[in-house]
Amino acid sequence: MPPQSPVRLRWHAWWVLLGALIMLWTLWMALTPDPGITLAFPCGDKLLHATTFCCLMGWWGNVYRERRPRGWAALGCLAFGIFIEFAQWLDPPRDADALDVLADGAGILVALLLLRTPLASVLASVEARSVRRQRD
Protein backbone atom coordinates (compact mmCIF):
# COMPACT_ATOMS: atom_id res chain seq x y z
CA MET A 1 0.00 0.00 0.00
CA PRO A 2 1.34 3.48 -0.85
CA PRO A 3 2.49 5.66 2.01
CA GLN A 4 -0.04 8.05 3.49
CA SER A 5 0.84 11.64 2.81
CA PRO A 6 -0.80 15.04 2.94
CA VAL A 7 -3.17 15.90 0.13
CA ARG A 8 -0.92 18.65 -1.18
CA LEU A 9 2.46 17.43 -2.31
CA ARG A 10 5.59 19.10 -0.91
CA TRP A 11 6.96 19.71 -4.40
CA HIS A 12 3.58 20.73 -5.81
CA ALA A 13 4.87 23.70 -7.80
CA TRP A 14 7.59 21.58 -9.42
CA TRP A 15 5.13 18.81 -10.33
CA VAL A 16 2.82 21.43 -11.88
CA LEU A 17 5.71 22.94 -13.85
CA LEU A 18 6.77 19.52 -15.12
CA GLY A 19 3.16 18.71 -16.04
CA ALA A 20 2.88 21.98 -17.97
CA LEU A 21 6.08 21.14 -19.86
CA ILE A 22 4.68 17.69 -20.68
CA MET A 23 1.53 19.33 -22.03
CA LEU A 24 3.58 21.79 -24.11
CA TRP A 25 5.53 18.87 -25.57
CA THR A 26 2.23 17.10 -26.31
CA LEU A 27 0.92 20.22 -28.06
CA TRP A 28 4.13 20.54 -30.07
CA MET A 29 3.88 16.88 -31.14
CA ALA A 30 0.22 17.36 -32.06
CA LEU A 31 0.98 20.35 -34.27
CA THR A 32 4.13 18.98 -35.90
CA PRO A 33 3.33 18.03 -39.52
CA ASP A 34 4.84 14.54 -39.11
CA PRO A 35 5.77 13.75 -35.51
CA GLY A 36 7.07 10.33 -36.55
CA ILE A 37 4.89 8.40 -34.11
CA THR A 38 2.43 6.00 -35.70
CA LEU A 39 0.92 2.64 -34.92
CA ALA A 40 0.50 0.73 -38.17
CA PHE A 41 -2.80 -0.98 -37.45
CA PRO A 42 -6.46 0.05 -37.56
CA CYS A 43 -7.31 2.69 -34.97
CA GLY A 44 -3.64 3.04 -33.99
CA ASP A 45 -4.05 6.83 -33.95
CA LYS A 46 -6.97 6.52 -31.54
CA LEU A 47 -4.93 4.26 -29.26
CA LEU A 48 -2.16 6.88 -29.21
CA HIS A 49 -4.71 9.54 -28.26
CA ALA A 50 -6.18 7.39 -25.49
CA THR A 51 -2.75 6.47 -24.14
CA THR A 52 -1.50 10.05 -24.20
CA PHE A 53 -4.53 11.38 -22.36
CA CYS A 54 -4.51 8.49 -19.91
CA CYS A 55 -0.94 9.48 -19.03
CA LEU A 56 -1.78 13.19 -18.83
CA MET A 57 -4.74 12.53 -16.55
CA GLY A 58 -2.67 10.11 -14.51
CA TRP A 59 -0.09 12.84 -13.98
CA TRP A 60 -2.61 15.50 -13.00
CA GLY A 61 -4.52 12.98 -10.88
CA ASN A 62 -1.32 12.44 -8.90
CA VAL A 63 -0.77 16.18 -8.53
CA TYR A 64 -4.41 16.94 -7.59
CA ARG A 65 -5.47 14.16 -5.30
CA GLU A 66 -8.77 15.40 -3.90
CA ARG A 67 -12.00 14.63 -5.70
CA ARG A 68 -13.01 18.13 -6.83
CA PRO A 69 -9.58 19.29 -8.07
CA ARG A 70 -9.12 15.94 -9.81
CA GLY A 71 -12.49 16.46 -11.54
CA TRP A 72 -11.34 19.87 -12.72
CA ALA A 73 -8.10 18.30 -13.95
CA ALA A 74 -10.12 15.78 -15.97
CA LEU A 75 -12.16 18.57 -17.53
CA GLY A 76 -8.96 20.50 -18.21
CA CYS A 77 -7.42 17.50 -19.97
CA LEU A 78 -10.54 17.10 -22.11
CA ALA A 79 -10.52 20.82 -22.94
CA PHE A 80 -6.86 20.47 -23.90
CA GLY A 81 -7.78 17.65 -26.30
CA ILE A 82 -10.51 19.79 -27.87
CA PHE A 83 -8.07 22.69 -28.16
CA ILE A 84 -5.56 20.45 -29.94
CA GLU A 85 -8.17 19.34 -32.47
CA PHE A 86 -9.22 22.94 -33.09
CA ALA A 87 -5.56 23.97 -33.53
CA GLN A 88 -5.03 21.08 -35.97
CA TRP A 89 -8.06 22.20 -37.94
CA LEU A 90 -6.39 25.60 -38.36
CA ASP A 91 -2.97 24.11 -39.14
CA PRO A 92 -2.82 22.10 -42.38
CA PRO A 93 -1.58 19.46 -43.13
CA ARG A 94 -2.93 18.26 -39.76
CA ASP A 95 -6.67 17.71 -39.57
CA ALA A 96 -9.23 17.70 -36.79
CA ASP A 97 -11.16 14.57 -35.91
CA ALA A 98 -13.99 14.40 -33.38
CA LEU A 99 -13.15 10.73 -32.80
CA ASP A 100 -9.76 11.85 -31.51
CA VAL A 101 -11.55 13.79 -28.76
CA LEU A 102 -13.60 10.68 -28.00
CA ALA A 103 -10.36 8.68 -27.71
CA ASP A 104 -8.93 11.40 -25.45
CA GLY A 105 -12.00 11.11 -23.24
CA ALA A 106 -11.68 7.33 -23.11
CA GLY A 107 -8.06 7.69 -21.98
CA ILE A 108 -9.10 10.15 -19.28
CA LEU A 109 -11.77 7.73 -18.02
CA VAL A 110 -9.26 4.86 -17.91
CA ALA A 111 -6.90 7.08 -15.91
CA LEU A 112 -9.68 7.99 -13.47
CA LEU A 113 -10.25 4.28 -12.89
CA LEU A 114 -6.51 3.66 -12.44
CA LEU A 115 -6.36 6.54 -9.97
CA ARG A 116 -8.47 4.38 -7.64
CA THR A 117 -5.44 2.10 -7.27
CA PRO A 118 -2.01 2.69 -5.69
CA LEU A 119 -1.03 4.42 -8.96
CA ALA A 120 -2.71 7.50 -7.48
CA SER A 121 0.25 7.91 -5.13
CA VAL A 122 3.23 7.63 -7.46
CA LEU A 123 4.39 11.23 -6.97
CA ALA A 124 3.71 11.06 -3.22
CA SER A 125 5.86 7.91 -3.10
CA VAL A 126 8.68 9.69 -4.93
CA GLU A 127 8.54 12.48 -2.36
CA ALA A 128 8.38 10.02 0.55
CA ARG A 129 11.44 8.13 -0.71
CA SER A 130 13.32 11.40 -1.09
CA VAL A 131 12.55 12.32 2.53
CA ARG A 132 13.69 8.90 3.75
CA ARG A 133 16.97 9.19 1.81
CA GLN A 134 17.63 12.64 3.28
CA ARG A 135 17.15 11.26 6.81
CA ASP A 136 19.53 8.33 6.24
Side-chain angles (χ1 to χ4, degrees):
M1 180 160 222
Q4 293 294 333
S5 60
V7 173
R8 186 169 173 95
L9 298 169
R10 287 183 29 222
W11 303 335
H12 177 83
W14 292 107
W15 297 128
V16 170
L17 176 63
L18 186 54
L21 291 172
I22 292 167
M23 290 183 81
L24 283 173
W25 179 79
T26 302
L27 180 62
W28 179 79
M29 291 294 288
L31 298 180
T32 300
D34 181 13
I37 299 175
T38 58
L39 297 178
F41 56 84
C43 299
D45 175 58
K46 304 308 176 245
L47 181 60
L48 283 173
H49 275 266
T51 302
T52 299
F53 278 80
C54 183
C55 292
L56 286 174
M57 185 59 224
W59 180 269
W60 293 113
N62 265 264
V63 173
Y64 296 105
R65 300 168 42 178
E66 290 181 306
R67 185 179 182 150
R68 184 166 288 173
R70 190 174 279 169
W72 283 110
L75 288 174
C77 284
L78 186 59
F80 181 61
I82 292 168
F83 172 78
I84 286 173
E85 293 308 311
F86 183 71
Q88 287 179 338
W89 178 65
L90 296 173
D91 184 32
R94 301 305 296 256
D95 58 342
D97 185 352
L99 293 178
D100 287 349
V101 175
L102 186 62
D104 299 345
I108 291 166
L109 289 176
V110 168
L112 288 170
L113 291 173
L114 291 172
L115 287 166
R116 294 174 171 247
T117 72
L119 290 173
S121 298
V122 171
L123 297 181
S125 295
V126 169
E127 288 187 355
R129 285 189 183 133
S130 172
V131 169
R132 280 196 303 261
R133 284 186 182 160
Q134 289 175 357
R135 289 181 191 161
D136 293 343

